[in-house]
Amino acid sequence: MAASSNSSLSGSSLSSDPEDYQPPIWKSYLYQLQQEAPRPKRITCPHEMESRPKYYGREFHGMISREYADELVGSVEGSYLIRESQRQPGTHTLAVPGPPESIRSPGSLTCFSARRFGHQTLNYRLFYDGKHFVGEKRFESVHDLVTDALITLYIETKAAEYIAKMTTNPIYEHLGYTSLLKDKMVHRLNRVRSEPRRVTFQRDERITSPLVRRTALKDAPERQCSYEKIHNFKVHTFRGPHWCEYCANFMWGLIAQGVRCSDCGLNVHKQCSKLVPSDCQPDLRRIKKVFSCDLTTLVKAHNTTRPMVVDLCIREIELRGMKSEGLYRVSGFSEHIEDVRLSFDREGEKADISASAYADINIIAGALKLYLRDLPIPIITFDLYSKFIQAAKIPNADLRLEAIHEGLLQLPPAHYETLRYLMAHLKRVTMFEKENLMSAENLGIVFGPTLMQPPEQNALTTLNDMRQQKLVVQLMIENEDVLF
């Protein structure tokens, strides 16, 4: 493939403002090939077919032999027809001419199965469930299906070697998206917090206080870190020509040409998506709600270290509710809690949760618990759930705390920071135990199932683990100053 076939990337320009960013000149070679691809030409049946399904047109030829189908489509480039299978009556086959000596390249997006074509006709089992398909892609019409197939077969035949190498020299790191927004986020987060400290729990018989004896500390050097987030890629159909923002090559085909990150809008080939770094910068315009939104996605979209729901609710509770009897145990009216949820979803940090709007502090406490409970990935993540449950079962107090601490170090940074802030708050709640009657154990009973959920969502598992869930949260509250 001649290098001159590609446009130069030297025309790219980076602006200090991401909104003013102009993309580079995209590589045009694959786009040119799509323009050259054969256009579909249906071979119409000269007879009226009474057995023709209502969702097929005159391209349906009824029950004809494969050899006759080969003869009909073999003489015209881009031609196609549909026939009823003689071997399996009631099933339908799409016949299209195969390009000479072509073979599907690895990682292809085409819906056609891999084989060496030669000059023979290709026959594929055709399905209909409201849309037409022979593979993963679904089309409104057979004409669109064949158009996409001809484009894919042509490009992957002519440019197989080029496609295999197109990810070797990506432009991704030169895009304004990564070079500007990522640097801004990393710089801000590095100033706000550092990585959780690593702690060793040791027994020292010379120390008499049980808590101090359990938690003589040795701090490891602190390192800077930022909140990483993987992209939330989903198959996407692009209207009009689109180029991959990782490799700068054209995304070919008629539908489902690539994938788009639903959180930040990054557009890439499906094969390129596997190489994109975990540096998603969610766009607030794409975040539809606050509750039930992934925690890391929300904090990155709002450019905060913790979800604003947690900050605002805790601030309000500490302002006027620390001596409220049964705080977090007593439920507020569910209708009012739902109102708070809708207010956060609509207004974000401008939501009014003051005493003038909700006099009962239990409504605010209930809204905080609802937010934590509705997270798609709990504060203590699914993959670490069993680690914390097993840690709670360790009989030795020192080893149990150390195991919990090791689990905390493995939490995603946004989860760790939110949990740290929440435990510091709950520790302060226990300081008013005489008034609010909420000890660390009582708070553990309330927050255990909220912060820890088994990955299989099995009611029996949750019931069996309730004691350990309670103990984990209780210990994190009691030893908050040591564990975090």
Side-chain angles (χ1 to χ4, degrees), residues 77 108 269 284 363 456:
E77 185 180 45
S108 165
H269 290 112
L284 267 177
I363 295 170
E456 63 273 12

Side-chain angles (χ1 to χ4, degrees), residues 29 59 62 66 73 414 467 474:
Y29 176 62
E59 69 275 7
R66 175 177 292 201
V73 303
R467 182 176 178 275
Q474 178 183 341

Side-chain angles (χ1 to χ4, degrees), residues 138 214 247:
R138 282 165 164 72
R214 284 202 310 270
C247 71

Side-chain angles (χ1 to χ4, degrees), residues 28-181:
S28 63
Y29 176 62
L30 297 180
Y31 176 73
Q32 293 168 3
L33 287 185
Q34 175 157 313
Q35 298 302 102
E36 299 169 4
R39 299 295 184 263
K41 302 177 182 66
R42 71 173 182 170
I43 305 297
T44 58
C45 180
H47 314 292
E48 280 295 329
M49 304 297 301
E50 294 183 2
S51 62
R52 183 177 71 198
K54 61 182 180 180
Y55 40 82
Y56 294 142
R58 295 290 299 274
E59 69 275 7
F60 183 77
H61 287 248
M63 192 178 289
I64 62 175
S65 67
R66 175 177 292 201
E67 290 73 23
Y68 184 45
D70 289 351
E71 184 180 332
L72 289 175
V73 303
S75 57
V76 182
E77 185 180 45
S79 60
Y80 70 94
L81 61 80
I82 300 171
R83 62 182 178 86
E84 185 175 358
S85 173
Q86 292 180 324
R87 295 180 180 178
Q88 295 178 293
T91 64
H92 303 108
T93 300
L94 174 68
V96 294
E101 299 303 323
S102 60
I103 189 166
R104 180 190 174 193
S105 61
S108 165
L109 299 180
T110 180
C111 56
F112 287 81
S113 59
R115 73 167 73 179
R116 191 169 295 279
F117 304 113
H119 291 278
Q120 66 185 11
T121 300
L122 307 178
N123 293 274
Y124 299 95
R125 177 81 174 272
L126 185 61
F127 301 90
Y128 181 80
D129 63 356
K131 291 189 176 182
H132 303 274
F133 63 99
V134 298
E136 293 181 359
K137 292 185 179 183
R138 282 165 164 72
F139 299 81
E140 295 292 342
S141 68
V142 173
H143 183 274
D144 287 348
L145 188 157
V146 175
T147 300
D148 185 83
L150 291 173
I151 289 171
T152 302
L153 289 171
Y154 185 79
I155 289 178
E156 295 185 357
T157 300
K158 298 275 286 186
E161 184 178 350
Y162 180 90
I163 291 171
K165 296 179 179 179
M166 69 183 184
T167 61
T168 57
N169 187 28
I171 63 162
Y172 184 72
E173 291 300 328
H174 303 293
L175 289 177
Y177 169 79
T178 54
S179 63
L180 297 176
L181 295 183

